[in-house]
Each structure stands twice: as C-alpha cells, then as structure tokens.
Amino acid sequence: MENSIAVVGSGLVGAVLAMSLKDRGFDVTVYDKSEDIRKVDFSGRSINLALSERGWKMLRKIGLEDSIREMAIPMFQRAIHTQDGKVNYQPYGINGESIWAVSRGNLNKKLVDLAEERGVKFAFQTPVWGVDLERGVLFSAEKESDQWDEIKHNLIFGADGAYSRVRLQMQKHSQFEYQQSYLTIGYKELIIPADVEGKHQLDKNSFHIWPRKDFMLIALANTDGSFTCTLFMPFEGEVSFNAIQNISDLNVFFDIYFPDAKTMMPDLEKLYFRNPVNSLVTMKCFPWIYGDKAALIGDAAHAVVPFYGQGLNAGLEDIDVLTHIFDGAENKDWKKILQKYQDIRKPNGDAIAELSYRNFQEMSELTADPMFLLRKRIETNFSKKYPELWLPLYDRVTFSGGTYLEALKIGDIQKEIMDEVMQIDRIEHIWNSPEIEEIMKRAIQCACKETRDKD
Amino acid sequence: MENSIAVVGSGLVGAVLAMSLKDRGFDVTVYDKSEDIRKVDFSGRSINLALSERGWKMLRKIGLEDSIREMAIPMFQRAIHTQDGKVNYQPYGINGESIWAVSRGNLNKKLVDLAEERGVKFAFQTPVWGVDLERGVLFSAEKESDQWDEIKHNLIFGADGAYSRVRLQMQKHSQFEYQQSYLTIGYKELIIPADVEGKHQLDKNSFHIWPRKDFMLIALANTDGSFTCTLFMPFEGEVSFNAIQNISDLNVFFDIYFPDAKTMMPDLEKLYFRNPVNSLVTMKCFPWIYGDKAALIGDAAHAVVPFYGQGLNAGLEDIDVLTHIFDGAENKDWKKILQKYQDIRKPNGDAIAELSYRNFQEMSELTADPMFLLRKRIETNFSKKYPELWLPLYDRVTFSGGTYLEALKIGDIQKEIMDEVMQIDRIEHIWNSPEIEEIMKRAIQCACKETRDKD
C-alpha cells in the first residue's frame, strides 16, 4: 500500500481532493462518519455557497467546471433591501463579474458521484476517533467508546472540517498553536419558495441582502425556483434569537424589519421554529502538517465565518496549490511537498479568516450609513478610471488570482487612504472632483512605493 | 451516589481539591492515568515550585500549612548572578516577605498521602479518555483504542492540567472559546548537587538567577542540600537548545555565560543530554464549567508560563474561592456555585496568564540594563515611603490578597507612570529628589481617582 492515501471527510473539499489525488495515481479512500450524502435529504444548516474565481479555477483544473456550472446560478449584483421596502442594486466586480450560487447539498452529492466514477473509494459511516500520526493509522469504531480498529495508510489528509478529528490529534502534540473563537451572532436557515408557476419570487441573478446593522437576512437562488435564506442575528440581547420566543414575537420582528421578505415566506413560522440556530467559528492553527504523514486542508486548517463567501473557495484553492506543488516536485517527496504547501497556504488561511471576520460589519451596514455608500462610490469611480492603481478589496478577494494575504495588506492601505479622504472638508460635495482624484492617486502611488521598498 | 465527585488528575491541585471536597462530606475519587506518584522517582520535567501567599492561604485553610512548611525553604531575595561572576541581592517584598521553594514531587507525594488519610479514594493508572458531560460519565480504558468503561459521578472536576481531557471534551461543544500558544523558548532541568558535607553550594534562602537577556538559568534550593536548576532558552537560533549539539558546544556555552554555575555542576554533561527540553504553553478557555456537571480548575482552566511562580498558587486560589462560595451557598446548588466560581476566577485566570507571559522579559533583563535597575530602585524607594500609594506589581501578585486582575490593572498604571518618570531629563541624577517624589505622588493619586471614577 505504498500508494495509499486516506482523506478524512467526504465534504466538498474532501471529494475534490480525493479526485485530484486519484488522478495522480494514488489509491484514495475517503472516510466519513456520516451516511452517504447521496442517500440523505440535505438541509437545515448550510448557508448556500457562493463560488467565485478561486473555486472555479480548481474545478476547471479537474475538469468539472462545466458540469458544476449547470447547477449554479450567476449573481451579478447585490440587491440591497432597505427597511422601507426599496431595493438598491450594487454590481459585483467593476467589470461585470459574477459570483455563483450553488446548493451545498446538491454540489456535494454530485462531487461524490464524480469521485466514485473516477475510482475513489468511499467508506461512509466510518467515524475516525483517533489518529496515530507517527504510523499513519486511523482509528475507527461505530462508537468512540468501542474497541477501535486500525486503518493504515501512507498519508492522511484531514478534510474533516471545523471540528476536525485529525487536527484534534495534532493539538495534543507540543508546540501546536491553536485558537478557536465564536461570534456572538448565530444563523438560521429559512426558505423563500418558488411561486405558483415555479418561478423565483426575486431576481435570481442577485445576491439579496436585508442589512439591519446588527443583524441581516440574505437570500441566494436555487435552481428549483426557491431561495435559501439565512438570518444572521445575535444569540442574546434586545433583537436576538433569544428574544423571539413565540410566533407572535416572530411576526412582530419580521413585520418591522423584513416586511417584504415575510410576504414571500409562507412557511416562515414552521421553518423558524424547526431549524436550529447555528454557530459561527473562526479557527486558526499551526502547524497544518505532520512530517510526510498528515496534513490539514480546507476548514480543518482554517475555519472562517461565511461573510466573504470564501470558505469553500479557500479550501479549493488549498487543493489547487497542493497539486501544483506536487506536479512540480521532482521526486514526489511528500515531506517537502507538504512543507511547501503549509508555507504558502498558512499565511493566506490567516488572511481570509481575518477578512471574513471583518466583513460582517461591512455587509450589515451596507445601507445604514450614507457616508459608507459615498465611500464605496468614490472607490468604485476611482477604480474604474485607474484600474491599474486601485482594485477594490472585494474584487481582489473574489475575482482576482492574487493571494488573500496580498488582498488583506493592500486592503488595509486602501482603507487608510479612504479614511483620510472621507475626512476632507465638504467631501460629499467635492467627491467627484479632479482634486480628490489627484489626492487618491498620489496617496496610493506613494503607499505602493513604500510597500515595495519594505519588501 | 448522590454525593459522589470525581476529580480527574492527582496533581497538587487535584489532591488539595479532593481533600477540600471530602472535608465537606462528599464521596471523592481521584482518577489519574499515571502510576501512584508515591511509587515513582519524580524528576526530569518540573520547575521547582515557589509557594507564595495565595498558596499558603489555601493550605492553611485545609490545615496543611505546618506540615508543608517543613518541606519548604524560604527565599527572601533574588540573587542575581552577572556574567562576570558578581552576585547582587534584591530582597523580595518591601517588608521582608519571602516565597518558599518546594519540590513538586515531594509535595505531591505528601498531598496524596494526606488526602488518602482523610478518606479520598485514588484510582491510579485509570486514564480518562472521554467524558459525557450531560450524564457526568467518565470513560476509561487501559488504552484509548480499547473498549471504554463508564464511570458515573454526580460532578466532575477537571484538575488534569494543561493538556486536560475534560477540557478537550468541552472544546467539542459549540461556543467554546479556546486558545493555546507556545513560547519559542523551552526549558531543561539541571542540578547543582550538595557539597561533600551535604550542604548547599549557594545561599539556600535566595532565588538564584543568571539572567542573560534572551535566556536565563535559575536555581531553587532543595532540603537535601541540592538545587534544582532550570535553563530557559530559545529552541532555535544562535544561542539555543538546538545550537548545543555536543559536549564541546555545551562546555563552551556554560564557560561563556554561566562559568560560576558550571563549577558547581559535576553532572552537567550527563544531565544536559539526558533531560528533555520542555515546552511552555499559555492556555485560555471559556467556559470553565458545564451546568452542574463539570468544572475545570488549576492548569486545566488556565495554563500559564512559570515566570511569575504563580501557577500552583493560582490553582490553590481557585480552590480557596470555590470552597468559599460553597460554604456560603444556602442550598448547595452546584449549578450556581460553579457559575459564581467561573465568574470570579475566569478574569483572574486571564490576568495571571498575561502577567506570567510578560514576566519572562522582566526576569531575563534583570541585570542587562542599568536604567531598568534604576527604575526598580525608584519604585522601591517610593513604595517604602508611601506604602498606601504604591505597592510594586511583584509584591501585589505575590504577597497581597488582592486579585490578579486588580494587580494587572494597577501594574499597567504604575508602568505608565514609571515610563514617564524615566523620560525625565537627567533622571539618573535627580531620581532621589523631592521633585520626582512629588511627580509620582500626583500621578498615582490622579490615576487612582480616574480608575475609581470609571468603575
């Protein structure tokens, strides 16, 4: 079994990683504690995915782009629903780019199908309770308290998500840096069903947001005419999940804050009280690898909150980088390959965690503050005029091929410049003037030079 | 078994906690994966303990003060060994207080003896692999991969140290905040044996330090005439554990940096290459409790680096606070008792973690900078003259009964004032003047007023 690799976790990243490794000649088995996802009704605790450029790049590489596009819906803009029922549209990407809504469950089923077709083996209902990292052994049993069986492989990938068991094993080793932190807001899934004709009740090519500062509702289209909605809100406090105790509380809350959405949700009461409130965790750790025996990938290595829509994209980019290193490696020495993978990806995992954490505020304040909107407009205008000088942060993260770390750094520089611009006297009147343009030009050129000199 | 409590971990905190609970009428069993410590030679990876006021307070409460004093050695001062072989003495405490050196192994044996005498049951070689927090069940087996047995108790205390299994179980629950971080310096234990007459080769009533900025050696007296020494040093780098690869490297290193200590260490070569390099972890988590079923205590709740000598003292203070709450509770409702314990101790656990982390620099720079020494002298002088206005941070942490959190806050205020004082022109000439005294008086009075107004 010189050639055998275990992938723990049959989620999206696990399935794509398994296929990628199988394509490179390895004998790959995917382990998952859950039942075969193709046999279960998938629902209840998943924010719909937004696939963007990084994710597509990896899917393209593995020849799946076309088959996945078929089940995805492009979103060219944000549709901002204000409390008085108006809708404002903000295009994504300054060049008409789009992100793509796709159902996590359907995508996962499809990926498992495709992986199986290519010869990847799946061991479902095979929970991994422990790992012997030295020996490359997985321990499995029906229950954790049962006698464990040993399963030996040459290399183990932990693609087992934010609560990774492979990582838990690493955590027991000395010198393992680890941090997990939860937001005080949680989320709950809701549905806007198709209308009587089976059509979407809202524009399907928009990412719908009802931003209300400390909480927000979002909606992403499904191919069956429905929208998967997610309500993000504090667990505790005046306006919170905890404050909604009964149907009357719920109706009052939606009547005040989301009256337009409410009219499209006939099953609101049922869904609200049936679906759980889920948590949002940010997890950072180091190292991600153990010699030539194990590595973490995707959420297992860098669990992020969903506010940049980059969780899956970051995981797929991990595979992109890993396979790129593998393909370029002369003697296919996994120790060196994993080391390089970690060197490249760890700083970017941290960066997307940070960017995702910051973006909740940005998303939820989208309409609250006219100065915030003006700020965005100044940026967009300048960027259109000087695309080589200024790519807005969102575009850099979502549509560019640059690293997350670079995006974070340049984003901070841009933020500093915009903070100063917004302090300029009478900015709301002169924002579209050559004077402001000149200030921004000089500031960004100067900052870029400083950064270059430092590096 | 209405009355049954499990304490996981038979270390110092576990043993004292078990006794305290037994004294209050509970049926207490202590579980430990290791052999009975009384049957093993204890050595190799323990920094000798420094017991200070908080620890003594708890030992007094449980009637153990006298028996433990017998095995402890008071240290009234720091003995600072400079590289040129000189020794400077700095008294601890402005009022002649002392801290007490005691061997971790001997103390632990003694505590297990005493606990057993009082009716505490010990289950050694009984590793706890998992915990069912809902049901108050411990899972044990010889090996983790064996079939686990269930052991049921009404309440479980995790006193199982920095790598707590009870905590690991809590970590798997949602909303558990967790952070572990290692220093880039490690430590190795060495010995200065007794001289031919069985006497101490250095003053036994001093805490000996050889501070060398990025690394240091310390020595604490044992009752048998020897000193337990600890070398703290970076793992990697020019001067590091990694840089000492053979006997010649070792001798050169000690000849340069610790020539005086070296002459007292006949077994240096043997011990250095036999003893492991150990890691230093800081761990913070939240919550510490699970309903009325489980609680973390001591290092399991707040693992700190050893540079304030407060690790054990903080753990014993946990027990002091917990038993104080228990004794005052009207209906002995463990849910409320544990909640209150957490409310009081969590901020203080964080505070001592922070203080301990900061103190490495302070300890290792003790001689490096004359301005640093001047600063200490100014503080000490002022404190002696105005004890009601200024208690130095070390004294507050080590000898006062105030909380760690208070110590941290007031310490920060004092630091700010001293930073400013040290900026005063010609401070090295005028430091002992009424002018400086007046400046400090006004600054600390003003800062205290501000703090009071804020609270």
Side-chain angles (χ1 to χ4, degrees):
Chain A
M1 297 258 285
E2 262 292 303
N3 222 5
S4 92
I5 295 181
V7 174
V8 183
S10 71
L12 305 167
V13 169
V16 173
L17 173 65
M19 269 185 268
S20 304
L21 294 168
K22 179 71 198 164
D23 288 353
R24 282 163 181 78
F26 293 96
D27 179 19
V28 185
T29 311
V30 179
Y31 296 87
D32 204 298
K33 64 174 184 301
S34 305
E35 216 181 324
D36 187 338
I37 190 173
R38 293 165 298 185
K39 295 183 187 160
V40 293
D41 236 16
F42 195 97
S43 86
R45 57 183 292 172
S46 158
I47 303 161
N48 258 26
L49 293 166
L51 263 170
S52 60
E53 197 37 43
R54 294 168 205 272
W56 287 119
K57 187 180 168 211
M58 182 62 220
L59 294 174
R60 195 175 305 137
K61 192 165 166 177
I62 205 161
L64 301 183
E65 184 178 13
D66 293 343
S67 52
I68 307 298
R69 290 265 190 212
E70 280 170 24
M71 52 196 299
I73 297 172
M75 299 179 287
F76 299 98
Q77 55 193 355
R78 293 193 190 98
I80 311 285
H81 299 254
T82 58
Q83 210 166 323
D84 57 9
K86 293 204 185 97
V87 188
N88 303 316
Y89 294 94
Q90 297 178 359
Y92 279 120
I94 50 169
N95 304 309
E97 296 97 333
S98 61
I99 58 176
W100 296 68
V102 55
S103 142
R104 177 184 292 269
N106 292 340
L107 178 58
N108 209 340
K109 289 175 186 186
K110 179 93 179 176
L111 289 173
V112 172
D113 268 343
L114 293 167
E116 221 171 40
E117 278 171 27
R118 295 193 188 190
V120 171
K121 286 171 275 183
F122 283 86
F124 292 105
Q125 294 172 288
T126 309
V128 170
W129 299 115
V131 182
D132 183 333
L133 294 168
E134 295 290 344
R135 293 163 55 219
V137 164
L138 300 177
F139 295 106
S140 183
E142 197 181 326
K143 284 189 303 171
E144 188 173 12
S145 57
D146 290 345
Q147 176 77 45
W148 295 353
D149 297 323
E150 292 201 1
I151 308 170
K152 176 111 181 59
H153 287 278
N154 290 97
L155 172 58
I156 296 165
F157 281 96
D160 46 346
Y163 300 93
S164 169
R165 276 279 167 159
V166 180
R167 188 185 67 228
L168 201 66
Q169 196 61 43
M170 291 190 180
Q171 194 192 312
K172 292 175 194 162
H173 284 250
S174 188
Q175 302 292 323
F176 192 73
E177 297 288 307
Y178 186 77
Q179 201 178 341
Q180 69 181 36
S181 185
Y182 286 83
L183 296 190
T184 54
I185 58 168
Y187 70 92
K188 191 188 276 277
E189 197 175 297
L190 300 168
I191 297 282
I192 294 178
D195 65 16
V196 284
E197 294 168 14
K199 293 206 177 123
H200 289 95
Q201 295 194 58
L202 291 162
D203 173 33
K204 69 171 180 176
N205 295 119
S206 294
F207 185 116
H208 296 271
I209 315 181
W210 290 257
R212 299 295 181 265
K213 201 150 166 63
D214 295 325
F215 55 101
M216 68 174 171
L217 181 70
I218 66 169
L220 282 83
N222 296 313
T223 46
D224 67 358
S226 67
F227 283 84
T228 299
C229 304
T230 312
L231 174 61
F232 294 94
M233 188 156 67
F235 289 105
E236 308 281 339
E238 207 176 325
V239 180
S240 71
F241 284 113
N242 191 39
I244 298 174
Q245 290 289 344
N246 52 45
I247 290 177
S248 150
D249 294 343
L250 177 66
N251 282 315
V252 169
F253 171 72
F254 266 81
D255 283 338
I256 296 176
Y257 295 109
F258 312 116
D260 50 347
K262 186 168 177 256
T263 62
M264 295 178 270
M265 294 175 155
D267 294 330
L268 173 62
E269 292 171 5
K270 196 182 81 189
L271 292 175
Y272 187 93
F273 290 104
R274 190 193 69 188
N275 288 347
V277 180
N278 302 301
S279 295
L280 296 163
V281 70
T282 299
M283 190 285 308
K284 297 178 188 177
C285 66
F286 188 83
W288 290 7
I289 60 174
Y290 191 88
D292 61 351
K293 283 286 167 227
L296 304 173
I297 196 158
D299 286 0
H302 46 74
V304 306
V305 293
F307 305 115
Y308 231 112
Q310 284 295 309
L312 170 61
N313 292 288
L316 293 177
E317 195 171 61
D318 288 345
I319 307 171
D320 183 17
V321 169
L322 178 71
T323 48
H324 182 77
I325 296 166
F326 180 89
D327 294 341
E330 275 182 27
N331 55 7
K332 311 301 180 200
D333 173 350
W334 274 110
K335 191 167 179 192
K336 284 186 194 154
I337 291 166
L338 296 182
Q339 183 68 51
K340 200 164 172 189
Y341 156 74
Q342 170 178 273
D343 291 350
I344 293 174
R345 290 307 286 169
K346 165 66 181 165
N348 288 302
D350 287 349
I352 191 59
E354 177 65 24
L355 287 163
S356 304
Y357 180 79
R358 291 184 191 174
N359 216 43
F360 175 71
Q361 210 185 348
E362 169 116 2
M363 278 183 86
S364 58
E365 283 194 358
L366 276 169
T367 55
D369 181 1
M371 290 307 271
F372 177 86
L373 294 177
L374 174 61
R375 183 181 175 125
K376 289 286 142 189
R377 193 178 307 163
I378 296 172
E379 252 196 282
T380 308
N381 270 28
F382 185 76
S383 174
K384 280 190 178 154
K385 205 152 177 183
Y386 301 100
E388 75 289 358
L389 281 183
W390 194 290
L391 183 62
L393 178 58
Y394 184 87
D395 296 62
R396 196 178 294 276
V397 171
T398 311
F399 306 119
S400 92
T403 67
Y404 290 130
L405 183 61
E406 191 180 80
L408 179 64
K409 281 184 183 167
I410 298 174
D412 282 344
I413 292 168
Q414 290 174 334
K415 179 180 181 301
E416 227 168 87
I417 294 172
M418 289 310 298
D419 284 348
E420 274 177 39
V421 166
M422 295 308 288
Q423 291 301 317
I424 292 170
D425 206 28
R426 299 179 61 252
I427 182 68
E428 58 274 42
H429 303 292
I430 60 166
W431 67 272
N432 202 8
S433 64
E435 184 195 339
I436 297 298
E437 199 176 297
E438 198 51 39
I439 289 174
M440 288 180 67
K441 240 168 99 175
R442 234 175 292 153
I444 190 69
Q445 280 167 336
C446 170
C448 288
K449 190 175 171 308
E450 268 177 37
T451 311
R452 267 199 307 276
D453 291 350
K454 250 193 286 176
D455 288 351
Chain B
M1 297 256 286
E2 261 291 302
N3 223 4
S4 91
I5 296 181
V7 174
V8 183
S10 70
L12 306 166
V13 169
V16 173
L17 173 66
M19 270 186 267
S20 304
L21 294 167
K22 179 71 198 166
D23 289 354
R24 282 161 181 80
F26 292 96
D27 180 19
V28 185
T29 310
V30 179
Y31 297 86
D32 204 297
K33 64 174 184 302
S34 305
E35 217 181 324
D36 187 339
I37 190 173
R38 293 165 298 184
K39 296 182 188 159
V40 293
D41 236 16
F42 195 97
S43 87
R45 56 183 291 171
S46 157
I47 303 161
N48 257 26
L49 294 166
L51 263 170
S52 60
E53 198 35 44
R54 295 168 204 273
W56 287 119
K57 188 181 168 210
M58 182 61 220
L59 294 174
R60 195 175 305 137
K61 192 166 167 178
I62 205 163
L64 301 184
E65 185 178 12
D66 293 342
S67 54
I68 306 299
R69 290 267 189 211
E70 281 170 23
M71 51 197 299
I73 297 173
M75 298 178 289
F76 299 98
Q77 55 193 355
R78 293 194 191 96
I80 311 284
H81 299 252
T82 58
Q83 210 166 324
D84 57 9
K86 294 206 186 95
V87 188
N88 304 314
Y89 294 94
Q90 297 177 0
Y92 280 121
I94 50 170
N95 305 309
E97 296 97 333
S98 60
I99 57 176
W100 297 68
V102 55
S103 142
R104 177 184 291 270
N106 291 340
L107 178 58
N108 209 340
K109 289 176 186 185
K110 178 93 179 176
L111 288 172
V112 171
D113 268 341
L114 292 166
E116 220 170 41
E117 279 170 28
R118 295 193 188 189
V120 171
K121 286 172 275 184
F122 283 85
F124 292 105
Q125 293 172 290
T126 309
V128 170
W129 299 115
V131 182
D132 183 332
L133 293 167
E134 295 290 344
R135 294 163 54 219
V137 164
L138 300 178
F139 295 105
S140 184
E142 197 181 325
K143 283 190 303 172
E144 187 173 14
S145 58
D146 290 346
Q147 176 79 44
W148 296 354
D149 297 323
E150 291 201 2
I151 309 170
K152 176 113 181 58
H153 288 278
N154 290 96
L155 173 58
I156 296 165
F157 281 96
D160 46 347
Y163 299 94
S164 169
R165 274 281 168 158
V166 180
R167 188 185 66 228
L168 201 67
Q169 196 60 43
M170 291 190 179
Q171 194 192 312
K172 292 176 194 161
H173 284 250
S174 188
Q175 301 292 322
F176 191 75
E177 297 288 307
Y178 186 79
Q179 202 178 338
Q180 70 181 35
S181 185
Y182 286 83
L183 297 189
T184 53
I185 58 166
Y187 70 93
K188 190 187 277 277
E189 198 175 298
L190 299 168
I191 297 282
I192 294 178
D195 65 16
V196 284
E197 294 168 15
K199 293 205 177 126
H200 290 94
Q201 297 195 57
L202 291 162
D203 174 33
K204 70 171 179 177
N205 295 119
S206 294
F207 184 116
H208 295 270
I209 315 181
W210 291 256
R212 299 294 181 266
K213 200 148 166 64
D214 296 325
F215 56 100
M216 67 175 169
L217 181 70
I218 65 169
L220 283 82
N222 295 312
T223 46
D224 67 357
S226 69
F227 283 84
T228 299
C229 305
T230 313
L231 174 62
F232 295 94
M233 188 158 68
F235 289 104
E236 308 281 338
E238 206 176 326
V239 180
S240 70
F241 285 112
N242 193 39
I244 298 174
Q245 291 288 345
N246 52 45
I247 291 177
S248 150
D249 294 344
L250 177 66
N251 283 314
V252 170
F253 171 72
F254 267 79
D255 283 338
I256 296 175
Y257 295 109
F258 312 116
D260 49 349
K262 185 168 178 256
T263 62
M264 295 178 271
M265 295 175 155
D267 294 330
L268 172 62
E269 291 171 5
K270 195 182 81 190
L271 292 174
Y272 187 94
F273 290 104
R274 189 193 69 188
N275 287 347
V277 180
N278 302 300
S279 295
L280 295 163
V281 69
T282 298
M283 191 284 309
K284 298 178 187 177
C285 67
F286 188 83
W288 290 7
I289 60 174
Y290 191 88
D292 61 352
K293 284 286 167 227
L296 304 173
I297 196 158
D299 287 0
H302 46 74
V304 307
V305 293
F307 304 115
Y308 232 113
Q310 285 294 309
L312 169 62
N313 292 287
L316 292 177
E317 195 171 61
D318 289 346
I319 307 172
D320 183 17
V321 169
L322 177 72
T323 49
H324 182 77
I325 297 166
F326 180 87
D327 294 341
E330 275 181 27
N331 55 8
K332 311 300 180 201
D333 173 349
W334 273 110
K335 190 167 179 193
K336 283 186 194 155
I337 292 166
L338 296 183
Q339 183 67 52
K340 202 165 169 188
Y341 157 73
Q342 170 178 273
D343 290 350
I344 293 175
R345 290 307 287 169
K346 165 65 181 165
N348 289 302
D350 287 350
I352 191 58
E354 178 64 24
L355 286 163
S356 303
Y357 180 79
R358 291 183 191 175
N359 216 44
F360 175 71
Q361 210 184 348
E362 169 116 2
M363 278 182 86
S364 58
E365 284 193 358
L366 276 168
T367 55
D369 181 0
M371 290 307 271
F372 177 85
L373 294 177
L374 175 62
R375 183 181 174 126
K376 289 287 143 189
R377 193 178 308 163
I378 296 173
E379 252 197 281
T380 308
N381 270 27
F382 185 76
S383 175
K384 279 190 179 155
K385 205 153 177 184
Y386 302 100
E388 74 290 357
L389 280 183
W390 194 289
L391 182 63
L393 178 58
Y394 185 87
D395 296 61
R396 196 179 295 277
V397 170
T398 310
F399 305 119
S400 93
T403 67
Y404 289 131
L405 184 61
E406 192 180 79
L408 179 64
K409 282 184 183 167
I410 297 174
D412 281 344
I413 292 168
Q414 290 174 335
K415 179 180 180 302
E416 228 169 87
I417 293 172
M418 289 310 299
D419 284 348
E420 274 176 41
V421 167
M422 296 308 288
Q423 291 301 317
I424 292 170
D425 205 28
R426 299 179 59 252
I427 183 68
E428 58 273 43
H429 303 292
I430 60 165
W431 66 272
N432 202 7
S433 64
E435 184 195 340
I436 297 298
E437 199 176 296
E438 199 51 39
I439 289 174
M440 287 180 68
K441 239 168 99 175
R442 234 176 291 151
I444 190 68
Q445 279 165 337
C446 171
C448 288
K449 191 175 169 309
E450 268 177 37
T451 311
R452 268 198 307 275
D453 292 350
K454 250 193 285 178
D455 288 352

